[in-house]
Amino acid sequence: MFPARRMRRLRRTAKIRSMVRETVLTKNDLIYPIFVDETIEERVEIASMPAQYRLPLSEVRDEALEVVSLGIPAVILFGIPEHKDEVGSSAYSSEGVVQRAVREIKDEVGDDLVVITDVCLCEYTSHGHCGVVKEGEVLNDPTLELLAKEAVSHAEAGADIVAPSDMMDGRVAKIREALDDSGYESVAIMSYAAKYASAFYGPFREAAKSAPAFGDRRSYQMDPANANEALREVYLDIQEGADMVMVKPALAYLDIVAKVKERFRMPTAAYNVSGEYAMVKAASQAGYVDEKSLVLEVLTSIKRAGADMILTYHAKEVATWLERGE
Ligand code: PBG
């Protein structure tokens, strides 16, 4: 009790604070999302995500080299295809944009960079939903076959990890089985296990041109009001064979990150999504906050909550700051 107990003693100098710091952000925590767009020849900045770009295929090698040189261990790839149709056939074509990007990147940097691919249909379907649509409904089981084909084609191209983000039931089991049947038993699955139907995805949908043409995603993504359900989602994905699990978005869902980590002790990722990035950028550009301090606080908090890995559009800036010891 006071005065014997004084908490401020260990906050007195920077060195003392560094000795008792419980959470330290490192470059190894970072996963950088990359958008590869088959329809462009030069990079295009994403209006709602300043300093983030859609890249043409011709730039992915250099991008990968830059990410490696910054010491970031992994990227996650999203594709914007030339061709969209009802069943998202470009998603599982060996000549699809992500498949080509993976081959380019792996040819350039090999195992120096972990390549994760987002497995979903929404960027590839004409209606923008994450599955097969019939009479206005997103069908679960027919979608599983397509997702499994997509995952196998990513593995064939050289992906190290596939990350299904569609939220169909049973997709992890189906993908695991398909990967194993095709000889890709060492390709890992990072499942977007607790993925919420969130307004924070707005800028991403502009970037990936993947907004649903009708309705919304609430019949497959989770209700933001639910926490118990997230634990059941994560449990099922682990049972089905997920090697890593993800909670998405991150900031408004830190309670979920904490619960998932505590309950399952799995390698746990959190996705610091596009809307979270856009808010920080907008506020810092307006001069309302100090960007660097804010970003480091946000990411440290996500790690403190229990995330082992953070998917973040701030990855490159953070890696640069950490390198300089800032
Ligand atoms: C695809 C997918 C989305 C995101 C990642 N994968 C969008 C969505 O579900 O609508 C969002 C990522 C972000 O906002 O940064 N289903």
Side-chain angles (χ1 to χ4, degrees):
M1 291 285 227
F2 182 80
R5 188 60 63 211
R6 285 180 185 270
M7 299 305 281
R8 290 181 56 190
R9 278 182 205 126
L10 301 185
R11 296 178 198 144
R12 203 168 49 81
T13 69
K15 282 284 182 231
I16 297 178
R17 288 194 295 274
S18 73
M19 289 170 72
V20 297
R21 185 159 298 132
E22 298 173 36
T23 307
V24 181
L25 192 66
T26 76
K27 294 187 206 177
N28 283 330
D29 306 326
L30 305 170
I31 300 173
Y32 185 59
I34 295 179
F35 298 99
V36 193
D37 187 341
E38 211 174 18
T39 71
I40 55 177
E41 300 291 323
E42 271 168 35
R43 61 172 60 204
V44 178
E45 191 168 18
I46 300 160
S48 53
M49 300 174 71
Q52 301 304 314
Y53 298 84
R54 283 189 272 123
L55 300 180
L57 271 162
S58 58
E59 288 191 32
V60 296
R61 284 176 183 261
D62 284 348
E63 184 73 12
L65 287 170
E66 188 193 347
V67 171
V68 170
S69 75
L70 287 168
I72 298 168
V75 292
I76 180 162
L77 301 182
F78 297 94
I80 297 110
E82 182 101 52
H83 167 78
K84 299 192 186 210
D85 59 30
E86 281 284 304
V87 289
S89 39
S90 311
Y92 36 91
S93 151
S94 60
E95 287 309 307
V97 57
V98 165
Q99 290 81 352
R100 289 167 66 194
V102 172
R103 290 197 292 267
E104 300 264 354
I105 292 173
K106 278 295 172 186
D107 184 57
E108 189 66 42
V109 295
D111 285 342
D112 290 343
L113 186 64
V114 176
V115 174
I116 307 172
T117 56
D118 184 82
V119 174
C120 198
L121 295 182
C122 60
E123 293 120 77
Y124 307 91
T125 49
S126 42
H127 44 71
H129 276 290
C130 306
V132 177
V133 170
K134 199 170 166 200
E135 287 154 19
E137 204 184 314
V138 179
L139 303 182
N140 196 88
D141 298 9
T143 302
L144 301 182
E145 304 291 336
L146 306 185
L147 293 168
K149 266 165 66 175
E150 181 177 4
V152 169
S153 77
H154 290 172
E156 215 162 73
D160 299 291
I161 301 175
V162 293
S165 68
D166 52 284
M167 288 301 277
M168 299 299 124
D169 290 321
R171 90 273 210 216
V172 173
K174 199 80 180 173
I175 288 171
R176 184 71 271 158
E177 189 192 341
L179 288 172
D180 290 358
D181 286 350
S182 311
Y184 299 112
E185 61 282 328
S186 45
V187 169
I189 300 177
M190 170 189 278
S191 81
Y192 286 68
K195 177 174 176 181
Y196 287 87
S198 170
F200 284 105
Y201 308 151
F204 174 96
R205 292 179 189 168
E206 181 213 320
K209 302 181 184 162
S210 66
F214 66 89
D216 53 43
R217 303 207 200 290
R218 284 183 291 183
S219 77
Y220 42 105
Q221 298 180 350
M222 285 185 54
D223 183 340
N226 295 356
N228 293 330
E229 188 189 346
L231 297 179
R232 291 165 60 214
E233 279 283 6
V234 172
Y235 171 79
L236 289 171
D237 282 7
I238 296 169
Q239 293 303 307
E240 288 179 32
D243 301 285
M244 301 158 156
V245 292
M246 190 200 302
V247 173
K248 176 185 173 193
L251 259 196
Y253 298 84
L254 291 184
D255 57 328
I256 309 298
V257 175
K259 283 183 175 148
V260 165
K261 185 62 184 183
E262 202 166 303
R263 176 74 68 95
F264 301 106
R265 302 279 156 194
M266 288 285 288
T268 303
Y271 201 142
N272 178 222
V273 299
S274 58
E276 301 174 59
Y277 176 85
M279 288 195 309
V280 169
K281 279 286 171 193
S284 13
Q285 288 182 348
Y288 297 161
V289 293
D290 176 60
E291 181 171 15
K292 188 168 78 183
S293 321
L294 186 59
V295 170
L296 293 174
E297 181 177 334
V298 164
L299 298 186
T300 302
S301 301
I302 295 171
K303 186 167 181 189
R304 187 198 65 233
D308 304 295
M309 295 156 272
I310 307 170
L311 296 91
T312 178
Y313 303 97
H314 296 292
K316 288 200 216 170
E317 301 162 276
V318 171
T320 309
W321 298 330
L322 293 176
E323 180 64 36
R324 291 198 221 119
E326 291 172 23

